[in-house]
Amino acid sequence: METKQKRVLSLIQPSGIPTLGNYLGALKNWSDIADEYECAFGVADLHAITVRQDPQKFRKQVSDMYALLLALDLKPEKNILFVQSQVPTHAQMGWILDCYTQFGEMSRMTQFKDKSKQHADNVNVGLFSYPALMAGDILLYQADYVPVGADQKQHLEICRDIANRFNGLYGDVFTIPEPLIRDTGARIMSLTDPTKKMSKSDPNPKSYVSIFDEPNVIAKKIRSAVTDSEACVRYAEGKDGVNNLMSIYSCVTGLTNEQIEAEFAGKGYGDFKNAVADAVIASLEPLQAEFKRVSSDRAYLEQCMKEGAEKAMYVSSKTLNKAMKKIGFYQFKK
Ligand code: TYM
């Protein structure tokens, strides 16, 4: 008997140019599995307005992020590539799931605690209920797997809890999703403070490599990355800076830590950093070129966006209708 193809879903916020962390923790994995599964990938613009956005910049960030999905060769003809706000079922499902989520469990989300410190002047209700909207994104597509970086693990856990609670009340409405978090690259750290996650919202641009940085900028940032005084390339506790560069190198070359240690035995950090920089540049260059090509073809981009929204609407409406029927919303007889 032929088994049903597993479904994968993941989204990324259009809140600035993605970093090497986004690329290695999520986007690269998306393109690695785009052929193998039935996938839905999206631009999470509804999530992005939990912090203030400049309207003009925001519009561009959304279309650039969508162009990046196309540049990653995520197969728009086979998979669903969509912009979240163009698929109204997401906001509807988000509200429904808000009503099946407890205030106490939402209060435990570490991202909410961190972000409300970062944006103390705008601790809005959307920032708080963010994980319910995210749960809706996932459950609407009956996703089996959700490829994300380690920072999203807690959000996946609450999504599973919400889905189990809903299924417990109404029967099997939602597939319970599994996170797909890789061992290497799941948490790429800041280059200037390797105890902190690499983040596009970090005010210090030296702390992250943006995926659109020019080769000389990438080389400069990696060469000045914080390491330690041991001058020995090995993966070990307490060597956060070197461990981080080894993870980056491992993700882009496919080498294991043992192979990396052997390659740089007896060599200093200078040689190692140059090799990491060269490998990162080689990995990003084709993507940068393809992004330039796709983002200049507005007609193609908008056509894919429209078709993506239609496909997303078709699949997600089925789940939304099913959930609404179970709850008891009045529905017209066909
Ligand atoms: P976002 O936009 O912050 O990040 C997008 C993806 O990049 C991963 N990531 C990292 N991975 C490794 N190292 C890092 N330093 C690093 N920084 C970011 C994130 O884990 C994520 O996979 N809430 C999500 C967006 C979202 C979503 C969803 C994800 C909305 N709905 C449904 C999955 C399923 C977010 O803010 O990701």
Side-chain angles (χ1 to χ4, degrees):
M1 196 183 80
E2 207 180 302
T3 49
K4 200 173 140 274
Q5 205 180 20
K6 295 279 186 196
R7 286 194 174 168
V8 163
L9 170 132
S10 202
L11 277 72
I12 181 166
Q13 289 196 61
S15 49
I17 300 172
T19 65
L20 189 62
N22 296 123
Y23 178 61
L24 300 179
L27 298 173
K28 188 170 177 298
N29 305 340
W30 297 5
S31 67
D32 290 346
I33 56 180
D35 274 332
E36 198 182 329
Y37 297 101
E38 222 174 80
C39 302
F41 296 119
V43 179
D45 56 347
L46 294 176
H47 280 100
I49 65 160
T50 52
V51 303
R52 287 285 168 269
Q53 301 290 344
D54 171 85
Q56 240 172 342
K57 279 195 205 148
F58 188 40
R59 256 189 296 278
K60 179 160 184 341
Q61 280 166 205
V62 172
S63 74
D64 279 356
M65 189 60 85
Y66 193 84
L68 185 64
L69 301 190
L70 295 175
L72 281 159
D73 194 18
L74 297 178
K75 313 268 180 310
E77 59 298 332
K78 169 180 119 36
N79 294 318
I80 304 177
L81 306 188
F82 66 99
V83 174
Q84 189 187 30
S85 66
Q86 295 172 355
V87 190
T89 44
H90 287 254
Q92 288 171 280
M93 188 57 112
W95 169 254
I96 290 176
L97 298 182
D98 271 344
C99 302
Y100 290 82
T101 310
Q102 296 306 302
F103 193 88
E105 61 183 336
M106 210 64 123
S107 315
R108 287 194 288 275
M109 296 293 110
T110 51
Q111 186 170 302
F112 171 69
K113 290 183 200 161
D114 293 346
K115 286 220 171 162
S116 39
K117 270 189 221 139
Q118 255 174 42
H119 304 278
D121 56 335
N122 182 21
V123 185
N124 60 71
V125 177
L127 198 61
F128 183 72
S129 70
Y130 180 115
L133 181 62
M134 177 163 161
D137 298 338
I138 299 168
L139 302 177
L140 277 172
Y141 296 82
Q142 307 287 5
D144 297 284
Y145 301 121
V146 184
V148 282
D151 61 334
Q152 297 298 320
K153 193 163 176 251
Q154 201 184 26
H155 289 161
L156 257 293
E157 278 159 14
I158 198 171
C159 170
R160 288 165 57 90
D161 291 344
I162 298 169
N164 276 317
R165 180 172 309 139
F166 199 95
N167 285 354
L169 288 165
Y170 302 113
D172 280 344
V173 177
F174 299 129
T175 302
I176 308 298
E178 300 273 350
L180 268 190
I181 301 175
R182 293 218 172 148
D183 293 338
T184 320
R187 199 168 164 79
I188 300 295
M189 309 307 276
S190 152
L191 298 176
T192 49
D193 176 359
T195 60
K196 261 184 16 193
K197 182 185 88 165
M198 183 183 281
S199 163
K200 53 194 170 219
S201 55
D202 194 312
N204 180 2
K206 284 190 186 149
S207 70
Y208 57 83
V209 168
S210 135
I211 64 167
F212 297 144
D213 277 345
E214 299 279 339
N216 61 331
V217 176
I218 298 178
K220 219 167 151 188
K221 286 182 179 175
I222 291 181
R223 273 196 226 113
S224 58
V226 167
T227 46
D228 53 60
S229 54
E230 194 197 25
C232 175
V233 178
R234 64 187 184 96
Y235 200 93
E237 223 185 291
K239 287 174 69 75
D240 298 326
V242 171
N243 294 348
N244 189 35
L245 292 177
M246 285 180 73
S247 299
I248 294 172
Y249 195 59
S250 167
C251 284
V252 291
T253 59
L255 295 172
T256 62
N257 284 341
E258 293 70 40
Q259 289 170 320
I260 298 171
E261 287 170 1
E263 183 180 344
F264 294 98
K267 293 187 187 158
Y269 290 157
D271 289 335
F272 175 50
K273 285 177 171 178
N274 283 336
V276 176
D278 288 346
V280 169
I281 293 165
S283 162
L284 292 180
E285 259 178 346
L287 178 63
Q288 294 179 342
E290 188 56 12
F291 171 80
K292 252 189 206 152
R293 198 185 66 76
V294 175
S295 56
S296 62
D297 189 348
R298 189 128 304 263
Y300 173 65
L301 192 139
E302 288 202 353
Q303 185 201 334
C304 291
M305 232 191 228
K306 278 188 195 143
E307 287 172 9
E310 278 166 22
K311 285 203 260 178
M313 193 62 194
Y314 177 77
V315 174
S316 60
S317 298
K318 284 194 195 169
T319 311
L320 180 70
N321 287 338
K322 191 171 170 189
M324 289 181 76
K325 197 168 170 193
K326 293 279 186 186
I327 295 169
F329 282 102
Y330 185 90
Q331 291 180 318
F332 290 116
K333 292 206 171 63
K334 278 176 201 139

